[in-house]
Amino acid sequence: MMIVLGIESSCDETAVALVNSEGVILAQALATQRDDHAPYGGVVPEIAARAHLAQIDRLYTKALDDAKLTIDAVDAIAVTAGPGLIGGVIVGVMLGKALAAAAQKPLIAVNHLEGHALTVRLTDQVAFPYFLLLISGGHCQQLVVRGVGDYVRLGTTRDDALGEAFDKCAKMLGLPYPGGPELEAAARNGNPKAYSFPHPMSGDRGCDFSFSGLKTAVRLTIEREVARAGELTPQIVADVAASFQATVVAILAERVGNGLSMATLGYPVTAVAVAGGVAANQAIGEGLRSLAAQHDLPFVAAPPALCTDNAAMIAWAGLERFRLGLIDDASFEPRARWPLTELARA
Ligand code: KG4
Ligand code: ZN
């Protein structure tokens, strides 16, 4: 059995985890920077980098202590090498390189998106090839995961990522950062039919997304309703949140419906999987589940704690690579931009 130590620091979560080759998470130490960035309404890169540096040593020690292991028991070190905020990525990569050199362990440079993409193999042993909707704060893509390092991108967003659209709408509704979970909570008290919002790209037969038109419509509706009521009432917040979320579910049904038709035509896909922070959204999960059922495919979503950024997914992606002999030279550079389609294949 192999044990891989994973390190994640590409956005606003600092995390270290230990995962074994049977898919058991032996330890997870994680610190979120949410409160550091909340006053600014978004992630501030300089604050993020410094906070990663302040936390990462402690989390490394905690993960090993929690698992009652020493670094000698670890077979390889996996670290997020991008894409992400470069200051944070550098902090994690430097720890990974230092550990690998000091403890004489193989080092694996993991693409953060591949971490999200392979999570359903850690949690549910999903077999290749599978369809994946990757929806996070920075990414919004439909993919066929053919194997480790082997991705076919069917479509992407032409403007905002879905998590970004959630966060921006939440901000307009006066909800605290990060807005996605807050907006979902507010939507529970609202009427999803209170407002009718546009479905950008409706009728287009491809697999791309666009959310900027929806965002503008939400802004205009809030302005109009506030003018009418004299203030932003809890009812307006709940109704806009519910209507926005219902519109997103309908947009995904159409766009992902196209993607699934395309994917199943070209590949013997085994499942429909969803990954990334927005996959924690229950309404979206239910919509995707029924879409998968229409295509006679099982639907797989990781539990919310493994959908948002974490180091277990990085350790697991590292394990998948390590098993295939995909080890990296310690000279690799942290990357701010690193598309999945540029990955080394097994
Ligand atoms: O994957 P992730 O943790 O970080 C990135 O790599 O981007 O995703 C964070 C994004 C944020 O935009 C956050 O608002 C969104 O995921 N998110 C949600 C929910 N939970 C997190 N969006 C909608 N509903 C949720 N329940
Ligand atoms: Zn992420």
Side-chain angles (χ1 to χ4, degrees):
M1 202 196 337
M2 293 181 293
I3 298 175
V4 171
L5 180 127
I7 302 167
E8 160 62 34
S9 58
S10 67
C11 189
D12 57 351
E13 247 84 43
T14 322
V16 178
L18 289 150
V19 175
N20 74 18
S21 45
E22 285 173 359
V24 178
I25 300 172
L26 304 170
Q28 277 211 78
L30 185 142
T32 180
Q33 304 173 358
R34 195 163 304 159
D35 296 343
D36 300 329
H37 301 293
Y40 307 95
V43 180
V44 183
E46 175 73 18
I47 292 175
R50 287 171 186 269
H52 286 302
L53 193 60
Q55 295 291 338
I56 208 157
D57 297 348
R58 178 181 71 80
L59 296 170
Y60 163 70
T61 308
K62 184 174 190 310
L64 283 175
D65 286 351
D66 288 354
K68 298 190 171 56
L69 293 173
T70 66
I71 191 72
D72 296 333
V74 169
D75 295 283
I77 315 275
V79 59
T80 299
L85 299 173
I86 197 66
V89 178
I90 288 171
V91 170
V93 165
M94 288 314 296
L95 175 64
K97 287 187 178 185
L99 285 176
Q104 294 283 297
K105 304 287 179 185
L107 184 60
I108 300 146
V110 173
N111 179 299
H112 177 87
L113 302 176
E114 179 155 71
H116 280 302
L118 298 179
T119 301
V120 291
R121 288 170 55 76
L122 165 64
T123 58
D124 295 83
Q125 299 84 46
V126 175
F128 297 126
Y130 55 92
F131 176 88
L132 177 77
L133 176 67
L134 176 56
I135 39 179
S136 72
H139 301 274
C140 190
Q141 309 182 353
Q142 304 195 55
L143 303 153
V144 177
V145 183
R146 295 174 60 189
V148 173
D150 191 359
Y151 299 85
V152 178
R153 198 171 79 179
L154 302 170
T156 186
T157 182
R158 297 195 179 169
D159 37 64
D160 291 345
L162 186 51
E164 206 177 347
F166 264 92
D167 292 342
K168 286 178 180 169
C169 287
K171 198 170 182 177
M172 291 186 244
L173 290 169
L175 299 170
Y177 162 87
E182 297 280 343
L183 193 148
E184 178 173 26
R188 284 197 197 101
N189 308 315
N191 173 8
K193 296 205 170 92
Y195 306 107
S196 147
F197 293 131
H199 294 198
M201 303 193 66
S202 173
D204 169 283
R205 298 191 33 217
C207 304
D208 280 349
F209 298 98
S210 165
F211 296 106
S212 72
L214 172 58
K215 194 178 60 190
T216 305
V218 167
R219 183 173 54 77
L220 294 175
T221 298
I222 295 170
E223 284 170 8
R224 189 189 67 219
E225 293 302 296
V226 167
R228 186 176 296 169
E231 61 176 337
L232 184 59
T233 65
Q235 195 60 50
I236 298 173
V237 172
D239 285 344
V240 169
S243 302
F244 166 80
Q245 189 170 271
T247 306
V248 166
V249 171
I251 291 171
L252 289 181
E254 192 205 286
R255 310 310 301 159
V256 179
N258 287 356
L260 262 176
S261 301
M262 219 177 265
T264 48
L265 263 180
Y267 306 92
V269 299
T270 65
V272 175
V274 61
V278 187
N281 185 288
Q282 279 183 22
I284 290 176
E286 280 157 29
L288 294 173
R289 183 180 296 280
S290 68
L291 203 58
Q294 286 166 31
H295 287 259
D296 286 323
L297 287 168
F299 172 70
V300 187
L306 292 176
C307 285
T308 48
D309 288 349
N310 65 88
M313 69 180 190
I314 303 306
W316 177 255
L319 248 165
E320 294 243 31
R321 298 197 143 251
F322 189 49
R323 280 203 287 234
L324 297 166
L326 295 169
I327 293 165
D328 292 279
D329 191 283
S331 65
F332 71 80
E333 284 182 18
R335 293 179 66 170
R337 200 186 150 275
W338 188 10
L340 271 178
T341 43
E342 284 180 18
L343 280 188
R345 290 185 192 185

mmCIF file of all heavy atoms in Angstrom, residues 171-214:
data_model
loop_
_atom_site.group_PDB
_atom_site.id
_atom_site.type_symbol
_atom_site.label_atom_id
_atom_site.label_comp_id
_atom_site.label_asym_id
_atom_site.label_seq_id
_atom_site.Cartn_x
_atom_site.Cartn_y
_atom_site.Cartn_z
ATOM 1 N N LYS A 171 -23.248 39.136 -3.821
ATOM 2 C CA LYS A 171 -22.736 40.443 -3.405
ATOM 3 C C LYS A 171 -23.783 41.535 -3.669
ATOM 4 O O LYS A 171 -24.020 42.404 -2.836
ATOM 5 C CB LYS A 171 -21.441 40.727 -4.178
ATOM 6 C CG LYS A 171 -20.577 41.810 -3.573
ATOM 7 C CD LYS A 171 -19.222 41.842 -4.275
ATOM 8 C CE LYS A 171 -18.296 42.878 -3.678
ATOM 9 N NZ LYS A 171 -16.962 42.858 -4.326
ATOM 10 N N MET A 172 -24.428 41.460 -4.847
ATOM 11 C CA MET A 172 -25.471 42.446 -5.179
ATOM 12 C C MET A 172 -26.637 42.360 -4.204
ATOM 13 O O MET A 172 -27.345 43.327 -3.984
ATOM 14 C CB MET A 172 -26.000 42.196 -6.597
ATOM 15 C CG MET A 172 -25.022 42.493 -7.705
ATOM 16 S SD MET A 172 -25.901 42.294 -9.283
ATOM 17 C CE MET A 172 -25.056 40.945 -10.020
ATOM 18 N N LEU A 173 -26.822 41.156 -3.617
ATOM 19 C CA LEU A 173 -27.922 40.970 -2.660
ATOM 20 C C LEU A 173 -27.481 41.279 -1.231
ATOM 21 O O LEU A 173 -28.224 41.046 -0.277
ATOM 22 C CB LEU A 173 -28.445 39.523 -2.737
ATOM 23 C CG LEU A 173 -29.203 39.171 -4.015
ATOM 24 C CD1 LEU A 173 -29.448 37.666 -4.114
ATOM 25 C CD2 LEU A 173 -30.531 39.931 -4.087
ATOM 26 N N GLY A 174 -26.261 41.788 -1.094
ATOM 27 C CA GLY A 174 -25.767 42.166 0.228
ATOM 28 C C GLY A 174 -25.381 40.975 1.094
ATOM 29 O O GLY A 174 -25.240 41.098 2.306
ATOM 30 N N LEU A 175 -25.183 39.793 0.471
ATOM 31 C CA LEU A 175 -24.807 38.605 1.250
ATOM 32 C C LEU A 175 -23.293 38.562 1.417
ATOM 33 O O LEU A 175 -22.560 39.011 0.540
ATOM 34 C CB LEU A 175 -25.299 37.336 0.530
ATOM 35 C CG LEU A 175 -26.818 37.247 0.338
ATOM 36 C CD1 LEU A 175 -27.180 36.091 -0.589
ATOM 37 C CD2 LEU A 175 -27.510 37.093 1.692
ATOM 38 N N PRO A 176 -22.813 38.025 2.542
ATOM 39 C CA PRO A 176 -21.368 38.007 2.773
ATOM 40 C C PRO A 176 -20.621 37.059 1.832
ATOM 41 O O PRO A 176 -21.196 36.107 1.305
ATOM 42 C CB PRO A 176 -21.232 37.556 4.230
ATOM 43 C CG PRO A 176 -22.536 36.977 4.618
ATOM 44 C CD PRO A 176 -23.579 37.506 3.685
ATOM 45 N N TYR A 177 -19.346 37.334 1.659
ATOM 46 C CA TYR A 177 -18.452 36.504 0.848
ATOM 47 C C TYR A 177 -18.035 35.268 1.654
ATOM 48 O O TYR A 177 -17.828 35.382 2.861
ATOM 49 C CB TYR A 177 -17.218 37.333 0.472
ATOM 50 C CG TYR A 177 -16.054 36.499 0.024
ATOM 51 C CD1 TYR A 177 -15.943 36.128 -1.303
ATOM 52 C CD2 TYR A 177 -15.104 36.050 0.941
ATOM 53 C CE1 TYR A 177 -14.893 35.328 -1.706
ATOM 54 C CE2 TYR A 177 -14.059 35.246 0.540
ATOM 55 C CZ TYR A 177 -13.962 34.892 -0.785
ATOM 56 O OH TYR A 177 -12.942 34.084 -1.189
ATOM 57 N N PRO A 178 -17.840 34.080 1.055
ATOM 58 C CA PRO A 178 -18.134 33.777 -0.350
ATOM 59 C C PRO A 178 -19.631 33.515 -0.522
ATOM 60 O O PRO A 178 -20.247 32.819 0.265
ATOM 61 C CB PRO A 178 -17.319 32.519 -0.620
ATOM 62 C CG PRO A 178 -17.181 31.852 0.709
ATOM 63 C CD PRO A 178 -17.270 32.917 1.764
ATOM 64 N N GLY A 179 -20.182 34.087 -1.575
ATOM 65 C CA GLY A 179 -21.626 34.177 -1.688
ATOM 66 C C GLY A 179 -22.385 32.927 -2.082
ATOM 67 O O GLY A 179 -23.585 32.824 -1.801
ATOM 68 N N GLY A 180 -21.713 31.958 -2.725
ATOM 69 C CA GLY A 180 -22.434 30.782 -3.225
ATOM 70 C C GLY A 180 -23.296 30.092 -2.172
ATOM 71 O O GLY A 180 -24.514 29.976 -2.327
ATOM 72 N N PRO A 181 -22.670 29.641 -1.070
ATOM 73 C CA PRO A 181 -23.468 28.948 -0.040
ATOM 74 C C PRO A 181 -24.515 29.867 0.594
ATOM 75 O O PRO A 181 -25.611 29.408 0.919
ATOM 76 C CB PRO A 181 -22.418 28.532 0.999
ATOM 77 C CG PRO A 181 -21.099 28.665 0.335
ATOM 78 C CD PRO A 181 -21.240 29.638 -0.776
ATOM 79 N N GLU A 182 -24.183 31.153 0.743
ATOM 80 C CA GLU A 182 -25.128 32.122 1.328
ATOM 81 C C GLU A 182 -26.349 32.274 0.424
ATOM 82 O O GLU A 182 -27.488 32.358 0.877
ATOM 83 C CB GLU A 182 -24.447 33.490 1.490
ATOM 84 C CG GLU A 182 -23.274 33.487 2.437
ATOM 85 C CD GLU A 182 -23.703 33.539 3.898
ATOM 86 O OE1 GLU A 182 -24.872 33.899 4.157
ATOM 87 O OE2 GLU A 182 -22.862 33.217 4.758
ATOM 88 N N LEU A 183 -26.083 32.351 -0.884
ATOM 89 C CA LEU A 183 -27.183 32.506 -1.836
ATOM 90 C C LEU A 183 -28.073 31.258 -1.819
ATOM 91 O O LEU A 183 -29.295 31.361 -1.849
ATOM 92 C CB LEU A 183 -26.623 32.786 -3.235
ATOM 93 C CG LEU A 183 -27.646 33.270 -4.261
ATOM 94 C CD1 LEU A 183 -26.998 34.217 -5.271
ATOM 95 C CD2 LEU A 183 -28.318 32.128 -4.997
ATOM 96 N N GLU A 184 -27.458 30.097 -1.744
ATOM 97 C CA GLU A 184 -28.251 28.861 -1.683
ATOM 98 C C GLU A 184 -29.147 28.861 -0.441
ATOM 99 O O GLU A 184 -30.328 28.488 -0.514
ATOM 100 C CB GLU A 184 -27.346 27.622 -1.672
ATOM 101 C CG GLU A 184 -28.175 26.344 -1.560
ATOM 102 C CD GLU A 184 -27.372 25.048 -1.714
ATOM 103 O OE1 GLU A 184 -26.170 25.044 -1.440
ATOM 104 O OE2 GLU A 184 -27.995 24.038 -2.091
ATOM 105 N N ALA A 185 -28.601 29.296 0.687
ATOM 106 C CA ALA A 185 -29.386 29.329 1.930
ATOM 107 C C ALA A 185 -30.543 30.322 1.801
ATOM 108 O O ALA A 185 -31.682 30.021 2.181
ATOM 109 C CB ALA A 185 -28.487 29.694 3.104
ATOM 110 N N ALA A 186 -30.268 31.502 1.226
ATOM 111 C CA ALA A 186 -31.318 32.524 1.063
ATOM 112 C C ALA A 186 -32.419 32.014 0.131
ATOM 113 O O ALA A 186 -33.610 32.285 0.335
ATOM 114 C CB ALA A 186 -30.712 33.815 0.524
ATOM 115 N N ALA A 187 -32.018 31.247 -0.884
ATOM 116 C CA ALA A 187 -32.982 30.764 -1.886
ATOM 117 C C ALA A 187 -34.028 29.839 -1.276
ATOM 118 O O ALA A 187 -35.143 29.733 -1.785
ATOM 119 C CB ALA A 187 -32.239 30.043 -3.013
ATOM 120 N N ARG A 188 -33.683 29.183 -0.179
ATOM 121 C CA ARG A 188 -34.632 28.244 0.466
ATOM 122 C C ARG A 188 -35.905 28.950 0.934
ATOM 123 O O ARG A 188 -36.956 28.338 1.021
ATOM 124 C CB ARG A 188 -33.973 27.560 1.667
ATOM 125 C CG ARG A 188 -33.021 26.495 1.223
ATOM 126 C CD ARG A 188 -32.631 25.517 2.317
ATOM 127 N NE ARG A 188 -31.440 24.840 1.840
ATOM 128 C CZ ARG A 188 -30.211 25.140 2.222
ATOM 129 N NH1 ARG A 188 -29.995 26.041 3.159
ATOM 130 N NH2 ARG A 188 -29.182 24.522 1.697
ATOM 131 N N ASN A 189 -35.805 30.244 1.235
ATOM 132 C CA ASN A 189 -36.977 30.992 1.715
ATOM 133 C C ASN A 189 -37.675 31.769 0.605
ATOM 134 O O ASN A 189 -38.575 32.561 0.878
ATOM 135 C CB ASN A 189 -36.560 31.983 2.812
ATOM 136 C CG ASN A 189 -35.768 31.301 3.911
ATOM 137 O OD1 ASN A 189 -36.152 30.230 4.363
ATOM 138 N ND2 ASN A 189 -34.655 31.900 4.312
ATOM 139 N N GLY A 190 -37.242 31.583 -0.638
ATOM 140 C CA GLY A 190 -37.784 32.406 -1.718
ATOM 141 C C GLY A 190 -38.619 31.626 -2.710
ATOM 142 O O GLY A 190 -38.642 30.392 -2.711
ATOM 143 N N ASN A 191 -39.273 32.399 -3.586
ATOM 144 C CA ASN A 191 -40.095 31.814 -4.640
ATOM 145 C C ASN A 191 -39.273 31.767 -5.942
ATOM 146 O O ASN A 191 -38.927 32.812 -6.496
ATOM 147 C CB ASN A 191 -41.353 32.689 -4.820
ATOM 148 C CG ASN A 191 -42.183 32.261 -6.020
ATOM 149 O OD1 ASN A 191 -41.916 31.229 -6.643
ATOM 150 N ND2 ASN A 191 -43.194 33.065 -6.332
ATOM 151 N N PRO A 192 -38.975 30.571 -6.449
ATOM 152 C CA PRO A 192 -38.130 30.472 -7.651
ATOM 153 C C PRO A 192 -38.814 31.016 -8.908
ATOM 154 O O PRO A 192 -38.154 31.223 -9.930
ATOM 155 C CB PRO A 192 -37.867 28.966 -7.770
ATOM 156 C CG PRO A 192 -38.930 28.298 -6.979
ATOM 157 C CD PRO A 192 -39.330 29.252 -5.892
ATOM 158 N N LYS A 193 -40.131 31.264 -8.811
ATOM 159 C CA LYS A 193 -40.849 31.790 -9.978
ATOM 160 C C LYS A 193 -41.147 33.283 -9.820
ATOM 161 O O LYS A 193 -41.877 33.863 -10.632
ATOM 162 C CB LYS A 193 -42.164 31.024 -10.164
ATOM 163 C CG LYS A 193 -41.956 29.546 -10.476
ATOM 164 C CD LYS A 193 -43.170 28.993 -11.232
ATOM 165 C CE LYS A 193 -42.903 27.606 -11.764
ATOM 166 N NZ LYS A 193 -43.306 26.552 -10.848
ATOM 167 N N ALA A 194 -40.607 33.910 -8.779
ATOM 168 C CA ALA A 194 -40.909 35.328 -8.531
ATOM 169 C C ALA A 194 -40.442 36.202 -9.691
ATOM 170 O O ALA A 194 -41.122 37.144 -10.085
ATOM 171 C CB ALA A 194 -40.257 35.776 -7.223
ATOM 172 N N TYR A 195 -39.288 35.902 -10.250
ATOM 173 C CA TYR A 195 -38.742 36.694 -11.354
ATOM 174 C C TYR A 195 -38.345 35.765 -12.489
ATOM 175 O O TYR A 195 -37.910 34.646 -12.263
ATOM 176 C CB TYR A 195 -37.520 37.498 -10.887
ATOM 177 C CG TYR A 195 -37.799 38.350 -9.676
ATOM 178 C CD1 TYR A 195 -37.292 38.001 -8.429
ATOM 179 C CD2 TYR A 195 -38.599 39.487 -9.781
ATOM 180 C CE1 TYR A 195 -37.573 38.772 -7.304
ATOM 181 C CE2 TYR A 195 -38.890 40.260 -8.664
ATOM 182 C CZ TYR A 195 -38.377 39.891 -7.428
ATOM 183 O OH TYR A 195 -38.661 40.643 -6.327
ATOM 184 N N SER A 196 -38.485 36.303 -13.702
ATOM 185 C CA SER A 196 -38.080 35.505 -14.849
ATOM 186 C C SER A 196 -36.799 36.107 -15.429
ATOM 187 O O SER A 196 -36.778 37.271 -15.817
ATOM 188 C CB SER A 196 -39.253 35.482 -15.827
ATOM 189 O OG SER A 196 -38.804 35.443 -17.113
ATOM 190 N N PHE A 197 -35.735 35.333 -15.415
ATOM 191 C CA PHE A 197 -34.425 35.795 -15.895
ATOM 192 C C PHE A 197 -34.087 35.140 -17.237
ATOM 193 O O PHE A 197 -34.539 34.029 -17.522
ATOM 194 C CB PHE A 197 -33.340 35.466 -14.863
ATOM 195 C CG PHE A 197 -33.467 36.231 -13.570
ATOM 196 C CD1 PHE A 197 -33.409 35.569 -12.348
ATOM 197 C CD2 PHE A 197 -33.648 37.605 -13.571
ATOM 198 C CE1 PHE A 197 -33.521 36.263 -11.147
ATOM 199 C CE2 PHE A 197 -33.756 38.309 -12.380
ATOM 200 C CZ PHE A 197 -33.698 37.643 -11.164
ATOM 201 N N PRO A 198 -33.240 35.812 -18.038
ATOM 202 C CA PRO A 198 -32.895 35.237 -19.355
ATOM 203 C C PRO A 198 -31.998 34.002 -19.237
ATOM 204 O O PRO A 198 -31.300 33.831 -18.242
ATOM 205 C CB PRO A 198 -32.138 36.386 -20.036
ATOM 206 C CG PRO A 198 -31.582 37.198 -18.920
ATOM 207 C CD PRO A 198 -32.574 37.090 -17.786
ATOM 208 N N HIS A 199 -32.057 33.172 -20.258
ATOM 209 C CA HIS A 199 -31.178 31.997 -20.351
ATOM 210 C C HIS A 199 -30.183 32.268 -21.478
ATOM 211 O O HIS A 199 -30.459 31.941 -22.630
ATOM 212 C CB HIS A 199 -31.982 30.739 -20.704
ATOM 213 C CG HIS A 199 -32.936 30.309 -19.647
ATOM 214 N ND1 HIS A 199 -33.484 29.060 -19.592
ATOM 215 C CD2 HIS A 199 -33.445 30.981 -18.582
ATOM 216 C CE1 HIS A 199 -34.274 28.959 -18.535
ATOM 217 N NE2 HIS A 199 -34.272 30.116 -17.922
ATOM 218 N N PRO A 200 -29.021 32.851 -21.153
ATOM 219 C CA PRO A 200 -28.066 33.159 -22.227
ATOM 220 C C PRO A 200 -27.706 31.906 -23.026
ATOM 221 O O PRO A 200 -27.587 30.832 -22.453
ATOM 222 C CB PRO A 200 -26.837 33.697 -21.470
ATOM 223 C CG PRO A 200 -27.346 34.120 -20.136
ATOM 224 C CD PRO A 200 -28.502 33.226 -19.833
ATOM 225 N N MET A 201 -27.584 32.066 -24.324
ATOM 226 C CA MET A 201 -27.185 30.998 -25.251
ATOM 227 C C MET A 201 -28.267 29.950 -25.460
ATOM 228 O O MET A 201 -28.013 28.916 -26.087
ATOM 229 C CB MET A 201 -25.892 30.308 -24.798
ATOM 230 C CG MET A 201 -24.754 31.288 -24.635
ATOM 231 S SD MET A 201 -23.188 30.477 -24.488
ATOM 232 C CE MET A 201 -23.022 29.753 -26.110
ATOM 233 N N SER A 202 -29.465 30.204 -24.968
ATOM 234 C CA SER A 202 -30.548 29.251 -25.162
ATOM 235 C C SER A 202 -30.735 28.987 -26.657
ATOM 236 O O SER A 202 -30.748 29.917 -27.462
ATOM 237 C CB SER A 202 -31.828 29.823 -24.554
ATOM 238 O OG SER A 202 -32.901 28.997 -24.860
ATOM 239 N N GLY A 203 -30.867 27.733 -27.027
ATOM 240 C CA GLY A 203 -31.045 27.388 -28.437
ATOM 241 C C GLY A 203 -29.738 27.086 -29.141
ATOM 242 O O GLY A 203 -29.723 26.389 -30.151
ATOM 243 N N ASP A 204 -28.614 27.586 -28.619
ATOM 244 C CA ASP A 204 -27.303 27.287 -29.204
ATOM 245 C C ASP A 204 -27.025 25.806 -28.961
ATOM 246 O O ASP A 204 -27.239 25.293 -27.864
ATOM 247 C CB ASP A 204 -26.236 28.160 -28.515
ATOM 248 C CG ASP A 204 -24.813 27.743 -28.856
ATOM 249 O OD1 ASP A 204 -24.343 26.727 -28.302
ATOM 250 O OD2 ASP A 204 -24.182 28.442 -29.663
ATOM 251 N N ARG A 205 -26.544 25.085 -29.989
ATOM 252 C CA ARG A 205 -26.446 23.633 -29.866
ATOM 253 C C ARG A 205 -25.119 23.156 -29.302
ATOM 254 O O ARG A 205 -24.905 21.963 -29.117
ATOM 255 C CB ARG A 205 -26.752 22.971 -31.206
ATOM 256 C CG ARG A 205 -28.181 23.349 -31.545
ATOM 257 C CD ARG A 205 -28.879 22.661 -32.679
ATOM 258 N NE ARG A 205 -28.612 21.302 -32.997
ATOM 259 C CZ ARG A 205 -28.578 20.872 -34.245
ATOM 260 N NH1 ARG A 205 -28.718 21.718 -35.242
ATOM 261 N NH2 ARG A 205 -28.393 19.595 -34.496
ATOM 262 N N GLY A 206 -24.212 24.094 -29.022
ATOM 263 C CA GLY A 206 -22.904 23.706 -28.480
ATOM 264 C C GLY A 206 -22.932 23.482 -26.986
ATOM 265 O O GLY A 206 -23.998 23.334 -26.383
ATOM 266 N N CYS A 207 -21.738 23.460 -26.391
ATOM 267 C CA CYS A 207 -21.608 23.127 -24.959
ATOM 268 C C CYS A 207 -21.024 24.263 -24.141
ATOM 269 O O CYS A 207 -20.668 24.065 -22.980
ATOM 270 C CB CYS A 207 -20.719 21.902 -24.801
ATOM 271 S SG CYS A 207 -21.298 20.492 -25.720
ATOM 272 N N ASP A 208 -20.870 25.459 -24.716
ATOM 273 C CA ASP A 208 -20.319 26.572 -23.953
ATOM 274 C C ASP A 208 -21.375 27.172 -23.023
ATOM 275 O O ASP A 208 -22.572 26.918 -23.171
ATOM 276 C CB ASP A 208 -19.794 27.666 -24.896
ATOM 277 C CG ASP A 208 -18.419 27.318 -25.456
ATOM 278 O OD1 ASP A 208 -17.795 26.356 -24.957
ATOM 279 O OD2 ASP A 208 -17.977 27.999 -26.391
ATOM 280 N N PHE A 209 -20.883 27.964 -22.081
ATOM 281 C CA PHE A 209 -21.760 28.656 -21.137
ATOM 282 C C PHE A 209 -21.547 30.159 -21.261
ATOM 283 O O PHE A 209 -20.498 30.626 -21.721
ATOM 284 C CB PHE A 209 -21.405 28.286 -19.691
ATOM 285 C CG PHE A 209 -21.571 26.847 -19.344
ATOM 286 C CD1 PHE A 209 -20.477 25.992 -19.355
ATOM 287 C CD2 PHE A 209 -22.808 26.349 -18.977
ATOM 288 C CE1 PHE A 209 -20.620 24.656 -19.012
ATOM 289 C CE2 PHE A 209 -22.961 25.017 -18.631
ATOM 290 C CZ PHE A 209 -21.862 24.164 -18.644
ATOM 291 N N SER A 210 -22.544 30.911 -20.795
ATOM 292 C CA SER A 210 -22.389 32.357 -20.635
ATOM 293 C C SER A 210 -23.297 32.762 -19.480
ATOM 294 O O SER A 210 -24.442 32.317 -19.416
ATOM 295 C CB SER A 210 -22.803 33.090 -21.914
ATOM 296 O OG SER A 210 -22.969 34.458 -21.627
ATOM 297 N N PHE A 211 -22.768 33.554 -18.569
ATOM 298 C CA PHE A 211 -23.584 33.965 -17.423
ATOM 299 C C PHE A 211 -23.671 35.475 -17.260
ATOM 300 O O PHE A 211 -24.333 35.961 -16.353
ATOM 301 C CB PHE A 211 -23.050 33.335 -16.123
ATOM 302 C CG PHE A 211 -23.139 31.839 -16.106
ATOM 303 C CD1 PHE A 211 -21.993 31.069 -16.260
ATOM 304 C CD2 PHE A 211 -24.366 31.205 -15.971
ATOM 305 C CE1 PHE A 211 -22.072 29.677 -16.266
ATOM 306 C CE2 PHE A 211 -24.457 29.822 -15.979
ATOM 307 C CZ PHE A 211 -23.308 29.055 -16.124
ATOM 308 N N SER A 212 -22.989 36.240 -18.140
ATOM 309 C CA SER A 212 -22.950 37.685 -17.889
ATOM 310 C C SER A 212 -24.314 38.343 -18.119
ATOM 311 O O SER A 212 -24.691 39.263 -17.396
ATOM 312 C CB SER A 212 -21.836 38.353 -18.698
ATOM 313 O OG SER A 212 -22.183 38.375 -20.047
ATOM 314 N N GLY A 213 -25.082 37.848 -19.100
ATOM 315 C CA GLY A 213 -26.413 38.410 -19.346
ATOM 316 C C GLY A 213 -27.345 38.166 -18.164
ATOM 317 O O GLY A 213 -28.143 39.023 -17.772
ATOM 318 N N LEU A 214 -27.213 37.004 -17.571
ATOM 319 C CA LEU A 214 -28.022 36.652 -16.388
ATOM 320 C C LEU A 214 -27.679 37.580 -15.227
ATOM 321 O O LEU A 214 -28.557 38.093 -14.534
ATOM 322 C CB LEU A 214 -27.761 35.189 -16.023
ATOM 323 C CG LEU A 214 -28.356 34.676 -14.710
ATOM 324 C CD1 LEU A 214 -29.874 34.837 -14.696
ATOM 325 C CD2 LEU A 214 -27.982 33.202 -14.506
#
